Amino acid sequence: MHKIFLNTNCIFNDTIEILGDEFKHIKALRLRANDEIIVCDGQMNDYFCLVKNIYKDKAMLSIKKISKSNTELTKNIFLFQALTKADKFEFVIQKSVELGVNKIIPIICDYCDVKNNPGENKLTRWHKISKSAAEQSGRGIIPKILEPMDFKSAVSFSNNIDLNFIAHEKSNCSIKNYSFNSDSIGIFVGPEGGFSESEIEFAASSNIKAVSLGKRILRTETAALFILSSIVFETQL
Ligand code: SAM
């Protein structure tokens, strides 16, 4: 069944009215009267609906049941992903949203090729990618992509997270040595050039655990998805 995210201001008692861009989306899905669809408010509430009418410029749905979304992970996972070329970064957003990430924080590291703040348009595009991946994978929230931060600011942001890892290919400690019992988990993944030694030292001084993901050097996007999948495998499957 298709799932879409909508603002709560189009939900009236047992009816949902869909206009504008969201209506274009409904048309693209080729929905017809009596088709089923889930509308989510992005705050874990799923409205199970039937399409009542499709007009020229709007669609009307009738709400059959409301329930709490049950697709979120039991952990809040924060991905601190080094900025990288646009297509790779967008790939990481899409796939990590499918895997259940809670927030993505783009980080600007010493060895990032891309250091410019990507600007408002890029943030809007990233949000759209997150929304569409969240719809496709049936999430109960749309994971937020924050404004890029420099490495040190990201480390201080991570102080509020229960358990933090930094993926470092030179670490002697495998990710396998950890259990993921904490409610919130932060993951730092470096750029193609890796983290600098001073970044690794700074992370260690903030109690961020350096972990190896195995003997092979993974591309940055593979590393992010590997570590996320490992946490999902351990905690939720
Ligand atoms: N420049 C590094 C080199 O050539 O040795 C490789 C950097 S790697 C392409 C990009 C990022 O992925 C790293 O900064 C790290 O966060 C993560 N990564 C890749 N392979 C890893 C591994 N085997 N263990 C831990 N982290 C890894």
Side-chain angles (χ1 to χ4, degrees):
M1 203 186 310
H2 290 293
K3 181 169 198 169
I4 58 169
F5 286 93
L6 283 182
N7 274 330
T8 44
N9 59 11
C10 59
I11 304 175
F12 311 96
N13 298 321
D14 58 355
T15 305
I16 295 180
E17 183 182 52
I18 305 182
L19 302 157
D21 281 349
E22 298 301 349
F23 176 61
K24 284 188 200 147
H25 188 173
I26 291 280
K27 285 195 92 171
L29 294 175
R30 297 178 182 278
L31 290 174
R32 296 192 189 155
N34 290 325
D35 282 349
E36 295 177 320
I37 181 166
I38 304 171
V39 171
C40 183
D41 62 2
Q43 292 161 52
M44 305 277 293
N45 299 305
D46 284 340
Y47 296 76
F48 289 79
C49 300
L50 272 188
V51 177
K52 222 160 62 176
N53 293 102
I54 304 223
Y55 300 103
K56 215 171 133 210
D57 55 351
K58 69 175 181 182
M60 302 298 291
L61 313 180
S62 64
I63 301 168
K64 295 295 161 200
K65 190 178 87 175
I66 306 173
S67 61
K68 280 282 164 200
S69 170
N70 64 0
T71 51
E72 291 303 311
L73 298 178
T74 49
K75 319 274 167 203
N76 281 336
I77 304 184
F78 296 75
L79 174 63
F80 296 85
Q81 171 66 50
L83 265 185
T84 168
K85 287 195 189 110
D87 55 340
K88 282 191 181 186
F89 199 81
E90 292 177 4
F91 177 82
V92 172
I93 294 174
Q94 185 188 58
K95 299 303 165 203
S96 56
V97 168
E98 287 172 34
L99 286 168
V101 78
N102 202 268
K103 276 196 178 63
I104 301 174
I105 302 98
I107 53 172
I108 301 169
C109 304
D110 290 343
Y111 299 150
C112 273
D113 289 335
V114 182
K115 293 213 182 204
N116 305 341
N117 208 313
E120 197 57 38
N121 288 347
K122 194 63 105 184
L123 279 172
T124 308
R125 183 172 162 78
W126 288 346
H127 174 76
K128 275 193 189 154
I129 294 169
S130 175
K131 183 178 179 212
S132 129
E135 287 175 338
Q136 183 275 320
S137 55
R139 300 280 308 262
I141 60 160
I142 304 172
K144 284 211 168 64
I145 323 291
L146 304 193
E147 295 238 11
M149 291 181 194
D150 61 58
F151 183 79
K152 285 195 170 168
S153 308
V155 168
S156 83
F157 182 94
S158 76
N159 288 339
N160 296 321
I161 299 171
D162 298 334
L163 177 64
N164 286 293
F165 296 109
I166 184 162
H168 184 44
E169 54 284 355
K170 293 184 191 144
S171 169
N172 294 323
C173 179
S174 165
I175 183 82
K176 269 172 74 177
N177 295 335
Y178 288 94
S179 52
F180 306 110
N181 296 328
S182 314
D183 288 340
S184 56
I185 302 172
I187 308 164
F188 283 73
V189 177
E192 285 312 328
F195 286 114
S196 66
E197 282 311 314
S198 68
E199 286 170 335
I200 293 295
E201 279 165 24
F202 187 72
S205 70
S206 296
N207 198 24
I208 299 179
K209 325 265 182 246
V211 286
S212 157
L213 307 177
K215 292 180 181 150
R216 293 161 303 283
I217 305 288
L218 309 175
R219 286 196 182 271
T220 181
E221 65 274 30
T222 318
L225 302 180
F226 174 89
I227 195 162
L228 257 169
S229 309
S230 307
I231 297 172
V232 175
F233 183 81
E234 280 292 317
T235 59
Q236 179 141 342
L237 280 186

